[in-house]
Amino acid sequence: MRTETNHGDSSLNNILLPATILLANIDMTGLFEYALKALTGGAIWLAFKLAGEYIQRRRKRKLTSTRYRRVHHKKTNKGNGNTE
């Protein structure tokens, strides 16, 4: 008669049993309220982050387009014989 033991299963059972006992005493309403607050805060943070990146991209695009216009305008004036 041959008996085999799996050591991998016993380590999982050693974690699951105490975790189940510890989690049985957690107040689920408080945990739900905390999760809701965390999600709300994360959404607000994400909105500010996206708005800041949008404003920064728009500002950079505007700055580069005005530089291009200035350089392009000077080149066209010099090409027409103007020295301004």
Side-chain angles (χ1 to χ4, degrees), residues 44-55:
I44 291 171
W45 173 82
L46 182 63
F48 272 105
K49 186 79 170 170
L50 290 175
E53 288 179 5
Y54 173 75
I55 290 170

Side-chain angles (χ1 to χ4, degrees), residues 26-37:
I26 290 181
D27 180 23
M28 294 306 275
T29 57
L31 188 62
F32 177 72
E33 186 178 333
Y34 174 76
L36 187 62
K37 287 179 183 179

Side-chain angles (χ1 to χ4, degrees), residues 12-22:
L12 183 62
N13 287 336
N14 289 340
I15 293 172
L16 287 179
L17 183 62
T20 305
I21 294 169
L22 289 173

